[in-house]
Amino acid sequence: MWFGTAVCLLLIATPAAFSASPNSTVAANVVGVMLTRWHYLSIAAPLVLLLLHRPATRDLRPALFLAAIVLASTQAIVDMRIRAVRNSSVIPISALAATDPVRRRFGLMHGFSALLLLAETAAAAVAVANQRETSAVEGT
């Protein structure tokens, strides 16, 4: 579920919101609502996996789960700041000049948020792959 929702958000939901919305502000609002829900899942899933995990020797999964929680928490904070910048702007961010400090700050935060989402997706993919390896070794 953790990995699947990340991929769906990246490859299906976000592009669909931007292609179907009348403007980028509406699309950003739709994606913002999806991201809010994603933050809950992206924090809860690795937390539950961490709590349910039975560590074996040399098992790096607890570190992976903790890193994923930190990534997800950081992304949630950055996304709240992005929303604050968008809400404080009198005009849409896309209408600001490329050199405008507000647009530049928004762009940097948006890029950082996207990188965090990709890192979370990679962590989820590693967790899925590791689970398959563990299951194959244990014969389940």
Side-chain angles (χ1 to χ4, degrees), residues 20-39:
S21 296
N23 59 55
S24 61
T25 301
V26 172
N29 289 337
V30 171
V31 172
V33 170
M34 289 187 286
L35 281 172
T36 298
R37 286 163 175 83
W38 158 251
H39 295 314

Side-chain angles (χ1 to χ4, degrees), residues 81-89 93 102 105-106 109:
R81 290 186 178 166
I82 289 171
R83 188 171 300 129
V85 169
R86 282 184 59 238
N87 291 338
S88 70
S89 181
I93 299 295
V102 173
R105 182 172 161 221
F106 175 86
M109 288 189 300

Side-chain angles (χ1 to χ4, degrees), residues 11-140:
L11 300 179
I12 299 171
T14 299
F18 276 90
S19 68
S21 296
N23 59 55
S24 61
T25 301
V26 172
N29 289 337
V30 171
V31 172
V33 170
M34 289 187 286
L35 281 172
T36 298
R37 286 163 175 83
W38 158 251
H39 295 314
Y40 291 119
L41 177 65
S42 66
I43 292 170
L47 180 60
V48 168
L49 291 171
L50 179 65
L51 294 174
L52 295 176
H53 180 66
R54 296 169 296 175
T57 57
R58 296 185 183 186
D59 190 352
L60 296 178
R61 281 183 285 181
L64 173 71
F65 299 148
L66 286 172
I69 293 166
V70 170
L71 289 168
S73 300
T74 304
Q75 187 195 22
I77 292 166
V78 170
D79 285 351
M80 286 188 294
R81 290 186 178 166
I82 289 171
R83 188 171 300 129
V85 169
R86 282 184 59 238
N87 291 338
S88 70
S89 181
V90 179
I91 61 174
I93 299 295
S94 59
L96 295 172
T99 57
D100 186 282
V102 173
R103 185 169 181 170
R104 292 177 58 88
R105 182 172 161 221
F106 175 86
L108 286 171
M109 288 189 300
H110 188 273
F112 186 52
S113 176
L115 288 174
L116 288 167
L117 178 56
L118 289 172
E120 291 170 64
T121 305
V126 169
V128 169
N130 190 279
Q131 181 60 37
R132 286 186 178 183
E133 283 179 22
T134 303
S135 296
V137 169
E138 293 173 356
T140 57

